[in-house]
Amino acid sequence: MHDETPLNEITCGGFEAGGMHAGIKSADFKDLGLLISRKPVHVAGLFTRNQVQAAPVVLSRQRVAAGSCRAIVANSGNANCAIGPQGLAAAREMTRRTAECLGVAEDEVLVASTGVIGQPLPMAVITRALPEMVRRVRPDGFMDFARAIMTTDTVPKLVVRNGDLDGSPFRLVGMAKGAGMIQPDMATMLAFVCTDAGAQPDILKAMLARGVNRTLNRITIDGDTSTNDSIFLMASGASRARIATKAQTARFQEVLDDLLLELAKLLVKDGEGATKLAEIRVVGAVCNSDAHQVAMTVANSPLVKTALFGEDANWGRVLAAAGRAGIAFDPEQASISFADEVIFKNGRWSGQAVESRVTKIIRRPEFTITINLHRGDGQDTVYTSDFSVEYVRINADYRS
Amino acid sequence: MHDETPLNEITCGGFEAGGMHAGIKSADFKDLGLLISRKPVHVAGLFTRNQVQAAPVVLSRQRVAAGSCRAIVANSGNANCAIGPQGLAAAREMTRRTAECLGVAEDEVLVASTGVIGQPLPMAVITRALPEMVRRVRPDGFMDFARAIMTTDTVPKLVVRNGDLDGSPFRLVGMAKGAGMIQPDMATMLAFVCTDAGAQPDILKAMLARGVNRTLNRITIDGDTSTNDSIFLMASGASRARIATKAQTARFQEVLDDLLLELAKLLVKDGEGATKLAEIRVVGAVCNSDAHQVAMTVANSPLVKTALFGEDANWGRVLAAAGRAGIAFDPEQASISFADEVIFKNGRWSGQAVESRVTKIIRRPEFTITINLHRGDGQDTVYTSDFSVEYVRINADYRS
């Protein structure tokens, strides 16, 4: 169930949030965010699988294992990554200072950072801002937090879902930042999901892993994954809703997946320079993992992505990308559709009439490309953006 | 040994070549090429590993197995791919008509096509042009052939190398087209190498496979591979040089590899919209294939490639791309250099003085990025181009 409350008035029982400009970024943008609970909440986290892991990832991964926390402090403008041992010291210092201001234990505070790699975190700036940051958290401060974690994102990403468990209503509030380096395994994505439902950490962890696998691991912008990816799921138990039985877990999972899919799509739509959201659906594969492999290869093909930008229904590039995915299939048996128009079938083009209709479909901001391999029942869907001139401009100029 | 003869006067004993405008392309560009020998020559071929294989690939793969041929007819402007059974019929027809004009057997003629996928080959246009094409082949017509196979290439690619075997001089002449869809496994690359040395087909095949693996399979422009990749090595034996012993094979291989590497670099330099040629060298890996995996991941990273275009020495992106290659290493032990400037070592940036020097290096048109994983003796090198605004423009507009 969607919520009608304006996003900047959204609350989620047990949580407070906020964001401010501390001075990490040179411009007057928010760059420091804080998410807290007055009582310990249960928490689960998932982190990047990149061999290079930023200091906040290393620290939060350790601490989240305890299964509960009181706060997450986050910053944009600096990834606190690849700066040697001082990186971990800075991440620790950031949580220690936050803990002091909140009057809680240091290891009850988690941390997430995003931004440029290889430059020391400006700790003095953060330390100076933290007391004010703590004063600014409010029950309806989620939008400020969402703004504080933005990097090249053009819009803050805040999604709300309501549900109920055995008659007890619950709410989920999710915030994410993405924009670049987005590919499975979560990319430079920071995401924070709060719920007022109650659940044990092991249940939270299992639900988060399932949900991410179905949603955020199914999107790609440029095939790059980052050193800082982190997603947290926190459950305050402030509502009466409880997730304990199999049925309750299934019900909550449905709402969680819906929220995560919405966040995932928002990330792709706001991909750097993106003008299109394409759903790449592969069906008829021998198994689901074959389908995934083909879908990801098509979704990451620069030639497919530039054709999407050019609004060119270039099914030849889709076919050629599918063909190099390393999965056996017979092109003579395969078909390719844009929305429900089959443009390629029985080894050949469907002709000018279909092409004209497909050319209209590809002008839409969102559409589905379906590749049917006609070999079995395996299927998978991934979401991708186009590759635009703007993508290159943004990424050629990022540090300068 | 390089040759001083102007490229449009180059000859190679036993071969004649030519190129002309037949009318496959709408503009007045050459689009039909023919390479012949008056006597049968030994031949070896390697072809795309894409699941989707164009009709000329299917036909030439069959015929090259015989180990000898008399001619290769090639066209640009149309890939003769993904048009159903009529594709193979058209490829056969193209060789049959060529054979008729030459007075040889149909199965002595090989064929290669490149261009747009999914549109029927305009056979009438080709048939009409073939008698004239046969009249136009000349011993010094290699440059015309090189022009006839161009698609989005901006320059024809013709490379000559001379060598000698036991006092008998020999020559190698190589022509290639590339530009887009370049990634290992040869990409939409057509390449044709002629030598006046003599060798049995099995020796030619082994040398070609080794040479391609060391050169053309080590380049990437956009990670896409095509349906039409083909490379042919033909030996006329018109000179006295013979390749039979181990020592002769090794000596010829050296010259062949040198020619293929030069062709490979020309392809990357002329990559669509490319402004840079970067050599990505990975050393210190546990094994060579780990090194290859890391090098290819870095070489294909859109974030690395856009940074190259922006002349931004963004080692953080190099490190992050290496980290997602799926190969274990300790970032604290790894180092990254641009030319011989070590910008990242012991888990951290080397500081502003080094950065300033690296910023100068990255302004050069060609440079090496070395990633040392400090884990073993495995190493590999690949060549890549940058990702420019022009790349997106070219590929967004290709069919329109």
Side-chain angles (χ1 to χ4, degrees), chain A residues 24 75 77-80 83 86-87 90-91 94 113 119-124 126:
Chain A
I24 306 167
N75 73 276
N78 188 307
N80 190 15
I83 52 163
Q86 74 179 101
M94 205 166 144
S113 300
Q119 288 174 14
L121 203 60
M123 271 313 297
I126 294 172

Side-chain angles (χ1 to χ4, degrees), chain A residues 27 53 99-100 107 144 158-159 161 173 179 194 290 364 377:
Chain A
Q53 311 226 334
E100 269 173 25
D107 58 10
D144 283 346
L158 173 59
V159 175
R161 290 291 183 271
V173 175
C194 303
D290 278 11
R364 298 177 193 160
D377 296 325

